[in-house]
Amino acid sequence: MAALRRMLHLPSLMMGTCRPFPDSLAGSCLADRCLWDRLHAQPRLGTVPTFDWFFGYEEVQGLLLPLLQEARAAIPLRVLDVGCGTSSLCTGLYTKSPHPVDVLGVDFSPVAVAYMNSLLEGGQGRTPLCPGHPASSLHFMQADAQNLGSVASSGSFQLLLDKGTWDAVARGGLPRAYQLLSECLRVLNPQGTLIQFSDEDPDVRLPCLEQGSHGWAVTVQELGPFRGITYFAYLIQGCH
């Protein structure tokens, strides 16, 4: 969470391109959809079309690809990114994974979803994205991660990704964050894996996750440092 706060006070790094946030964002509620609509509507600078909080796909592919390799019961393997924004996680998995994946990115910001669909389809003069495996697919949908009933039935996904979404939702109160976690676990396959990426200290995050995910195994891996900040991958897994 500290990284989110630092990014709101300082020029943000858009994979090497600086883009300042309006001063009002620093004191805003990160659970406010209008805030994210305004953020995602800002012009992209430079040649990188995606915007990543914390880090992008390249930094965590070493963690994700072995999980995809292990979970080969479903082909293609279904992946859900909750609060995807305009991150490179979904697009990186789709274009670079050598394993077949069916990736769905959901976000409550219609601006983010429209932008990512345009990026996927090659809008604004760009080249359409091509899958890293011929059986892979990628879709984006507007949905509230705290209520995924319109997205999928229970146990539908083998891998769920949450990069900073718990952090943002928790700014609106921990009950909302627990509702997010509950919905993620509902749509996660009992043998699947949910990964929360955050810079929040394990002493703070682990008790919350253990309280909200009874019957699941909760572990943590240290990531980075990236750009001088240490992050954590909180893995919530069923029985393999």
Side-chain angles (χ1 to χ4, degrees), residues 1-7 53-55 60 63 89 161-170 180 194-206 208-209 219-226 229-235:
M1 196 62 201
L4 277 174
R5 290 194 295 268
R6 284 192 289 272
M7 287 180 178
W53 295 107
F54 302 161
F55 45 77
V60 293
L63 171 64
L89 271 188
L161 305 175
D162 170 342
K163 184 158 70 77
T165 302
W166 167 288
D167 302 78
V169 171
L180 166 68
L194 163 63
I195 307 177
Q196 289 188 354
F197 296 108
S198 176
D199 72 328
E200 187 168 58
D201 192 276
D203 288 344
V204 178
R205 180 65 62 90
L206 281 176
C208 293
L209 296 181
T219 58
V220 60
Q221 295 185 28
E222 187 172 304
L223 302 174
F226 305 130
I229 301 174
T230 297
Y231 296 93
F232 302 95
Y234 296 95
L235 285 74

Side-chain angles (χ1 to χ4, degrees), residues 5-23:
R5 290 194 295 268
R6 284 192 289 272
M7 287 180 178
L8 292 175
H9 284 285
L10 299 173
S12 63
L13 290 175
M14 191 173 178
M15 298 300 287
T17 301
C18 289
R19 179 178 62 175
F21 287 102
D23 293 338

Side-chain angles (χ1 to χ4, degrees), residues 6-226:
R6 284 192 289 272
M7 287 180 178
L8 292 175
H9 284 285
L10 299 173
S12 63
L13 290 175
M14 191 173 178
M15 298 300 287
T17 301
C18 289
R19 179 178 62 175
F21 287 102
D23 293 338
S24 61
L25 287 184
S28 299
C29 176
L30 297 180
D32 179 8
R33 194 192 79 182
C34 293
L35 180 149
W36 294 104
D37 285 344
R38 294 197 304 272
L39 171 63
H40 294 308
Q42 292 185 31
R44 296 294 188 280
L45 303 179
T47 59
V48 178
T50 53
F51 172 80
D52 282 290
W53 295 107
F54 302 161
F55 45 77
Y57 170 77
E58 298 291 342
E59 286 81 359
V60 293
Q61 62 178 336
L63 171 64
L64 298 179
L65 292 182
L67 288 173
L68 298 178
Q69 175 66 32
E70 293 171 8
R72 298 299 297 273
I75 298 179
L77 184 136
R78 298 196 69 195
V79 181
L80 176 64
D81 183 2
V82 293
C84 64
T86 56
S87 164
S88 65
L89 271 188
C90 287
T91 56
L93 276 172
Y94 173 64
T95 60
K96 298 179 180 180
S97 170
H99 312 297
V101 288
D102 178 7
V103 183
L104 174 62
V106 300
D107 200 280
F108 68 173
S109 168
V111 178
V113 171
Y115 178 83
M116 294 306 286
N117 276 321
S118 175
L119 179 64
L120 172 63
E121 297 164 3
Q124 300 181 357
R126 296 188 179 93
T127 302
L129 301 183
C130 295
H133 188 283
S136 291
S137 60
L138 174 61
H139 307 277
F140 294 96
M141 177 187 299
Q142 182 185 355
D144 186 344
Q146 299 175 66
N147 183 7
L148 296 170
S150 63
V151 174
S153 57
S154 298
S156 297
F157 294 92
Q158 285 76 41
L159 178 62
L160 260 76
L161 305 175
D162 170 342
K163 184 158 70 77
T165 302
W166 167 288
D167 302 78
V169 171
R171 289 287 290 270
L174 271 179
R176 294 185 179 183
Y178 281 120
Q179 175 60 27
L180 166 68
L181 176 61
S182 175
E183 273 297 271
C184 288
L185 294 179
R186 182 185 65 80
V187 301
L188 182 63
N189 186 279
Q191 285 76 47
T193 300
L194 163 63
I195 307 177
Q196 289 188 354
F197 296 108
S198 176
D199 72 328
E200 187 168 58
D201 192 276
D203 288 344
V204 178
R205 180 65 62 90
L206 281 176
C208 293
L209 296 181
E210 290 168 349
Q211 178 179 333
S213 53
H214 295 294
W216 299 78
V218 182
T219 58
V220 60
Q221 295 185 28
E222 187 172 304
L223 302 174
F226 305 130

